[in-house]
Amino acid sequence: MIDVTRPGTKPQTGKSHIIPNTIRQIEQIFTRMGFEIAQANEVETEQYNFDALNVPEDHPARDMQDTFWIAGVEQTVLRTHTSNTQVRYMESHEPPIRIIAPGRVYRNESIDATHEAQFHQCEGLVVGETISLSNLKHVLLEFLTEFFDNPDTNIRFRPGYFPFVEPGVEVDVSCFRCGNQTGQECNVCKGSGWIEILGAGMVHPHTLAAGGIDADKYQGFAFGMGIERLVMLKYGVDDIRDFYDGDIPFISQF
Ligand SMILES: [Zn+2]
């Protein structure tokens, strides 16, 4: 006999994954600052992935990124970074330019707790007549303060090398776990008080020129950050592979 008044079994419902959720959050923060969202192809020519970004064929930086090549198609790769968006966007838009470009990127490397062959980055590009490093610092500070939901957030720049920016900087954010204390036993910043968070710099004149922009009149900054890394830091995830294992209890906790 069927008792139609008995409570039923609750069906398991799906929910969106923490990575696309984080991309949406990043997009919200930047669009509030006046940025537009741009996209470029994941299958890309060497021209846009390397050459236009000031990485010629014989440049040692070309070896810094292990690349997946498309079999049977000459000079075509799975993009190794979202930076391919830069020149593609500049070619079709006049300054002022203010974009972010989140998306999937690929590296042909061995997989471990901090490396996946496929992950996500978010590129940023701002070009105008008076854009400077101080604008970059302001934008990144605004973003990181909101992303980590910590009003005491501070950032610092250290010199860094990326072929498509000059000068280039490594950006550190103050540790949100221990409150930027040095010498503490903190497993997030290892006691330094700072966390390496992203790379950035002023767009190299060669890259501006590759995008058809007059480098004598315009200048700009660019930055790139790893989205999985941001999520791992924010939520204390130790292993990047957890995001793609399909483990329901792990995914449901966010
Ligand atoms: Zn710390």
Side-chain angles (χ1 to χ4, degrees), residues 117-130:
Q118 171 197 306
F119 56 101
H120 296 77
Q121 285 186 340
C122 182
E123 194 79 5
L125 176 69
V126 174
V127 179
E129 285 185 47
T130 58

Side-chain angles (χ1 to χ4, degrees), residues 175-181 186-191 193:
C175 181
F176 47 84
R177 188 62 49 82
C178 65
N180 199 209
Q181 307 275 320
C186 173
N187 61 1
V188 177
C189 67
K190 309 278 182 286

Side-chain angles (χ1 to χ4, degrees), residues 26-240:
I26 292 170
E27 289 177 347
Q28 280 168 4
I29 298 172
F30 278 102
T31 48
R32 274 205 297 277
M33 286 194 273
F35 281 70
E36 286 180 38
I37 316 291
Q39 296 286 341
N41 292 342
E42 292 173 23
V43 176
E44 186 54 281
T45 62
E46 282 186 81
Q47 163 68 14
Y48 288 99
N49 194 77
F50 293 121
D51 300 86
L53 294 167
N54 207 28
V55 192
E57 199 156 352
D58 54 355
H59 197 287
R62 201 112 156 184
D63 300 329
M64 279 160 54
Q65 302 181 350
D66 299 312
T67 308
F68 284 116
W69 303 85
I70 306 293
V73 190
E74 281 211 1
Q75 299 183 324
T76 305
V77 301
L78 288 179
R79 68 174 177 182
T80 58
H81 46 193
T82 44
S83 307
N84 68 327
T85 317
Q86 288 190 25
V87 172
R88 288 227 174 247
Y89 193 88
M90 288 191 285
E91 277 181 344
S92 53
H93 295 80
E94 293 288 317
I97 288 170
R98 196 158 39 177
I99 56 161
I100 59 162
R104 214 174 265 127
V105 301
Y106 304 86
R107 301 279 174 92
N108 186 5
E109 59 189 1
S110 40
I111 292 166
D112 60 27
T114 52
H115 298 88
E116 261 285 358
Q118 171 197 306
F119 56 101
H120 296 77
Q121 285 186 340
C122 182
E123 194 79 5
L125 176 69
V126 174
V127 179
E129 285 185 47
T130 58
I131 299 300
S132 70
L133 270 184
S134 57
N135 298 130
L136 169 67
K137 195 163 189 180
H138 173 78
V139 163
L140 292 179
L141 183 60
E142 284 286 312
F143 166 69
L144 292 166
T145 300
E146 189 159 344
F147 183 79
F148 288 112
D149 194 18
N150 175 10
D152 298 323
T153 298
N154 201 356
I155 60 172
R156 70 175 183 186
F157 287 175
R158 287 177 292 112
Y161 174 70
F162 308 98
F164 39 96
V165 287
E166 177 59 38
V169 291
E170 303 263 11
V171 181
D172 296 339
V173 65
S174 53
C175 181
F176 47 84
R177 188 62 49 82
C178 65
N180 199 209
Q181 307 275 320
T182 44
Q184 300 290 306
E185 267 189 39
C186 173
N187 61 1
V188 177
C189 67
K190 309 278 182 286
S192 73
W194 296 95
I195 306 162
E196 198 178 316
I197 195 95
L198 58 92
M202 297 300 291
V203 183
H204 198 288
H206 291 173
T207 300
L208 288 173
I213 295 205
D214 181 355
D216 292 327
K217 186 174 177 196
Y218 294 105
Q219 50 188 14
F221 65 74
F223 58 85
M225 51 198 174
I227 289 173
E228 279 82 354
R229 177 162 169 74
L230 287 171
V231 177
M232 288 167 80
L233 284 168
K234 185 170 176 178
Y235 298 102
V237 177
D238 296 325
D239 195 326
I240 192 171

